[in-house]
Amino acid sequence: MSPITATETESPVLQAVRTHTRSENPSAFLALNSGNSVFTTPGADGVVVYRRTGRHLVQFGGPFASAESYDTLLDGFTAFAREQELQLVSVQLQRSDADRYADRGFTVNQLGASWAVHLPDFTLRGTRFMQLRNKISRAFRNGLQVQEVPADRWEGALQEIDGAWLGSKGDHARQLEFLVGQIGGPVQSHRRLFLGTIDGAPVGYISYSPVYGSRAGWMHDLSRRIPGGSPGLMEAINSAAIDVFRAESVDWLHFGFTPFTGLDAAHELPGHSLSFQWLMHFLWAEGEAVYPAQTQLAYKEKWAPDVLLPEYVAFDGPASLASFAHIFRACNAF
């Protein structure tokens, strides 16, 4: 049993993510991000995706595996970490994953939630969406045009948007990865990219990743815009994408995971850490410098999501601030 790089196993990882959907993880396609490592066990049908940071292994999601191989991969990966005396922390577990980890003695806590809109029932009509409609209309009145484009033909423009967006975040801002999507690479053909332009100049984009399982559809993933400019740019781009998805009879639009949101004592599992639970609520209220959870949630709530899916973190042992920090290190946050 040994780790291998994700670039060597794109087809097996993609097959596992598309086929083994029992955990219903809407962010599962992020397992295909470049820079991830993959753990497999001979004879087991599935993969474990992770990154190493220092003396920690940060696992993304639970094993993407068949029902028969799930426990084999989970136990094998746990043993793999312990044999190397590495601390294992698993992030973005779904509830079905969380139960399996808790049964094995992991300390499991709610970390946040993801959100989804049922598109067949979706409409922007009504008073609740009046402000959103006004922002979208203003963007289009200011000359915004939205089209679905191939990423490789707009690579330079996308890089310019990324640079301007990152520059607006301050001198110490870093491009996040691991738990957010990316553009380019061998699996780009599976994503969809909607680009906004004004007078032919690119001003913003949203990348959508595929979601598999019972709530199949697309996930509103990586999004960037030129600082300043017309209000409502991102809302208008997403609205245009929704029109396309609805015309294609897509059932679900997911808005991805946001840490520290959707916290509820009813979501916690027996044996969870009370101190870590307190920390998550504190970071929701006061943690803007760590992650802008309130701003992210405000954008998602504009679309009146139908479903909240709690997501979890699992520690092999007691909840650990060091392990929690290594999640952010794996994301290139510092």
Side-chain angles (χ1 to χ4, degrees):
M1 292 183 278
S2 61
I4 46 183
T5 63
T7 54
E8 295 177 74
T9 62
E10 284 154 359
S11 295
V13 175
L14 180 58
Q15 181 179 359
V17 165
R18 296 176 68 173
T19 305
H20 305 312
T21 59
R22 61 176 301 277
S23 73
E24 299 286 345
N25 190 331
S27 299
F29 197 79
L30 301 185
L32 277 295
N33 279 359
S34 60
N36 292 343
S37 295
V38 180
F39 174 90
T40 59
T41 296
D45 180 13
V47 300
V48 172
V49 175
Y50 70 98
R51 291 195 181 191
R52 177 171 176 173
T53 65
R55 301 298 300 170
H56 284 71
L57 298 184
V58 182
Q59 180 191 3
F60 169 67
F64 300 101
S66 66
E68 297 77 15
S69 296
Y70 187 100
D71 290 341
T72 300
L73 277 163
L74 174 53
D75 294 339
F77 187 61
T78 303
F80 170 73
R82 292 173 179 173
E83 287 166 3
Q84 298 185 85
E85 298 183 349
L86 299 175
Q87 189 63 43
L88 173 60
V89 56
S90 304
V91 64
Q92 276 199 254
L93 300 177
Q94 305 305 296
R95 180 56 189 252
S96 61
D97 298 309
D99 290 333
R100 304 284 275 271
Y101 282 69
D103 288 344
R104 284 163 169 74
F106 283 72
T107 302
V108 181
N109 273 71
Q110 187 187 3
L111 182 61
S114 62
W115 313 78
V117 170
H118 191 227
L119 290 183
D121 302 327
F122 181 77
T123 176
L124 284 177
R125 294 191 296 270
T127 56
R128 70 182 301 182
F129 292 112
M130 183 180 300
Q131 186 176 5
L132 178 58
R133 289 199 307 273
N134 289 340
K135 292 190 72 173
I136 292 170
S137 296
R138 185 174 177 183
F140 284 120
R141 287 198 305 271
N142 288 338
L144 178 71
Q145 294 185 326
V146 181
Q147 57 182 326
E148 185 172 4
V149 300
D152 57 349
R153 297 184 187 176
W154 294 86
E155 184 176 355
L158 299 179
Q159 290 176 352
E160 288 184 13
I161 294 173
D162 287 348
W165 176 86
L166 192 63
S168 71
K169 301 299 179 181
D171 294 338
H172 302 292
R174 301 166 67 94
Q175 190 80 273
L176 297 181
E177 51 189 57
F178 189 44
L179 300 185
V180 298
Q182 59 184 203
I183 294 178
V187 296
Q188 179 57 39
S189 62
H190 295 274
R191 305 185 186 100
R192 301 179 72 168
L193 179 66
F194 286 78
L195 179 71
T197 60
I198 295 180
D199 296 329
V203 294
Y205 68 82
I206 302 176
S207 174
Y208 297 85
S209 298
V211 177
Y212 308 105
S214 65
R215 295 190 182 94
W218 294 95
M219 184 177 75
H220 181 307
D221 191 7
L222 196 64
S223 59
R224 300 284 187 266
R225 59 166 291 169
I226 295 292
S230 173
L233 286 178
M234 306 315 294
E235 291 87 348
I237 294 172
N238 190 52
S239 175
I242 286 176
D243 289 342
V244 172
F245 297 151
R246 281 173 51 84
E248 297 171 348
S249 299
V250 173
D251 280 337
W252 290 93
L253 175 62
H254 296 261
F255 283 87
F257 170 67
T258 306
F260 323 139
T261 64
L263 301 173
D264 192 324
H267 297 323
E268 299 287 6
L269 276 67
H272 68 277
S273 166
L274 293 176
S275 59
F276 193 85
Q277 181 184 20
W278 175 89
L279 176 62
M280 295 301 95
H281 285 270
F282 174 80
L283 289 174
W284 160 250
E286 307 291 343
E288 187 75 9
V290 177
Y291 187 84
Q294 294 194 25
T295 301
Q296 292 291 318
L297 181 58
Y299 174 80
K300 296 175 182 184
E301 287 185 329
K302 291 179 183 180
W303 307 93
D306 300 289
V307 173
L308 178 159
L309 299 171
E311 301 204 10
Y312 297 85
V313 58
F315 303 91
D316 187 11
S320 161
L321 284 178
S323 295
F324 182 57
H326 274 272
I327 294 173
F328 288 88
R329 184 176 174 188
C331 294
N332 196 42
F334 53 81

